[in-house]
Amino acid sequence: MSKNIDWSNLGFGYIQTDKRFVSNFKDGKWDEGALIDDANITMSECACVLQYAQTVFEGLKAYTTEDGHVVCFRPDLNAARLVDSCKRLEMPTFPEDKFVEAVVKTVEANIDYVPPYGSGATLYLRPYMFGINPVIGVKPAEEYQFRIFCTPVGPYFKGGAKPITIRVSDVDRAAPHGTGDIKAGLNYAMSLHAIVDAHNQGYDENMYLDAATRTKVEETGGANFIFISADGKKLITPKSNSILPSITRRSLMVVAEKYLGLTVEHREVFFDELKDFSECGLCGTAAVISPVGKVVDHGKEICFPAGMEDMGPVTKKLYDTLTGIQMGRIEAPEGWIKTIK
């Protein structure tokens, strides 16, 4: 029985649901895990996560498709990316098959919170892991907790995706051989001042350049960039070892090539190339694609020909095709859709 929620007016925020999945790592192994009612976490004041930010996370969604099924989109890639994040922060990896099982269990246990098809809303899932035992000297924890909670969220853009204005940031997001390519909480903590400052200055987001030379485009605080060539025939997306490998971006690259017949270039993108592109977008789980109309570099404006009114034509095709795959309107590549109900 679906919950009595005004699905079409949901924002992108946290609503507590009935169950969450919890598994504990102790004495060198993970327990079986369980679904629990309590949304609160009790831990030592000296827990490693509180002292040294030893925490990683993921984000994915469950949808109701056109034919009434409840599905998740490519959870195996979230499982694999979590493993990479854990390895970098000296955390025990959570088995990838168990991760997908836990996602399924969490959605099943909160099935009444999955918004109906056509509402624009989805069930957002947040898997995360953190060091929980007391640690005062700088070292990895010995005990960990892996959890998944979920919350229904509204469409990221109400009333359509209007192109946004972003600025070139004066601070760096990640060092060339740092933690930029993993989904660690610490990466997001450092971006908070920059995003608040951007909003205070009237911008929607920051464009981070590479820390070594500040000549190449990397990403924003929480999304990868995509660009469309002047002739509309190429999708170009930045490549760097300090960019988080977005699952949405990797999926859009397949959609561009296999469904829309575009040429795909995953390569270094120099900032002075921006003036030659016809469209720009930010891609991620929350919004799928956020169109960018303008980039401001210390007062100098780079305006994309697609303009500030609507999503560009190629970006719109990419968005419509990927969301069509997610919602079951368009046949998905093999293995992309995990059916839960």
Side-chain angles (χ1 to χ4, degrees):
M1 182 71 182
S2 186
K3 295 288 181 181
N4 185 23
I5 293 173
D6 185 0
W7 302 111
S8 58
N9 285 311
L10 272 179
F12 200 86
Y14 172 73
I15 295 171
Q16 186 176 316
T17 54
D18 294 341
K19 301 281 186 181
R20 63 272 316 131
F21 180 87
V22 181
S23 179
N24 290 290
F25 181 89
K26 192 173 182 179
D27 299 328
K29 60 182 185 298
W30 289 103
D31 64 18
E32 282 301 300
L35 291 162
I36 66 168
D37 298 329
D38 191 357
N40 297 303
I41 298 170
T42 301
M43 68 175 89
S44 166
E45 63 187 353
C46 193
C48 188
V49 63
L50 300 178
Q51 305 309 317
Y52 304 120
Q54 198 183 22
T55 179
V56 295
F57 71 100
E58 279 297 323
L60 67 161
K61 288 177 172 179
Y63 315 81
T64 302
T65 59
E66 192 171 33
D67 60 5
H69 288 293
V70 174
V71 306
C72 269
F73 183 69
R74 310 192 78 179
D76 56 314
L77 293 190
N78 293 96
R81 191 168 65 181
L82 188 80
V83 166
D84 291 339
S85 298
C86 288
K87 286 178 178 176
R88 183 71 63 84
L89 293 194
E90 285 297 324
M91 301 168 77
T93 58
F94 196 77
E96 293 179 42
D97 57 337
K98 298 287 187 189
F99 178 102
V100 176
E101 280 177 28
V103 165
V104 171
K105 286 176 181 175
T106 305
V107 176
E108 286 174 340
N110 296 286
I111 204 78
D112 295 342
Y113 288 95
V114 181
Y117 175 79
S119 64
T122 53
L123 186 71
Y124 184 84
L125 290 117
R126 171 55 57 88
Y128 59 113
M129 189 198 299
F130 54 94
I132 197 169
N133 67 290
V135 173
I136 197 67
V138 180
K139 62 180 180 180
E142 293 171 358
E143 297 175 12
Y144 296 83
Q145 193 166 95
F146 169 80
R147 298 174 73 107
I148 304 178
F149 69 82
C150 60
T151 181
V153 296
Y156 203 72
F157 299 114
K158 288 194 185 299
K162 292 292 182 189
I164 61 175
T165 299
I166 64 177
R167 69 166 185 186
V168 175
S169 176
D170 284 327
V171 300
D172 297 323
R173 177 185 162 271
H177 303 289
T179 57
D181 60 338
I182 64 167
K183 207 163 175 67
L186 51 90
N187 291 342
Y188 295 79
M190 66 67 51
S191 73
L192 295 176
H193 172 70
I195 192 63
V196 169
D197 186 61
H199 290 165
N200 288 341
Q201 303 295 330
Y203 302 103
D204 297 290
E205 252 294 1
N206 290 289
M207 172 181 279
Y208 291 106
L209 304 179
D210 73 294
T213 70
R214 296 191 63 79
T215 61
K216 291 173 276 196
V217 176
E218 295 240 310
E219 60 167 289
T220 67
N224 284 187
F225 278 102
I226 57 169
F227 301 102
I228 305 299
S229 60
D231 62 6
K233 294 180 180 177
K234 282 184 187 173
L235 170 76
I236 302 109
T237 184
K239 183 178 184 179
S240 162
N241 66 2
S242 51
I243 292 177
L244 185 77
S246 162
I247 291 163
T248 305
R249 187 258 301 158
R250 285 182 275 167
S251 302
L252 285 168
M253 290 167 68
V254 175
V255 165
E257 188 173 17
K258 304 296 185 189
Y259 287 75
L260 302 182
L262 302 175
T263 300
V264 174
E265 293 182 359
H266 183 47
R267 60 171 175 80
E268 290 185 336
V269 174
F270 286 86
F271 181 73
D272 61 12
E273 291 183 71
L274 261 60
K275 63 185 186 304
D276 302 324
F277 298 137
S278 62
E279 300 174 37
C280 171
L282 310 178
C283 57
T285 299
V288 182
I289 304 175
S290 308
V292 175
K294 183 163 53 176
V295 176
V296 181
D297 178 20
H298 300 87
K300 180 186 172 188
E301 294 187 351
I302 300 163
C303 300
F304 295 98
M308 292 295 296
E309 294 305 310
D310 297 299
M311 192 179 272
V314 180
T315 304
K316 182 81 164 68
K317 282 182 195 168
L318 286 163
Y319 176 86
D320 288 345
T321 307
L322 185 57
T323 54
I325 288 168
Q326 291 171 334
M327 294 295 177
R329 297 188 296 269
I330 297 171
E331 188 173 350
E334 189 174 345
W336 277 27
I337 301 296
K338 176 72 176 176
T339 302
I340 293 171
K341 180 189 173 190

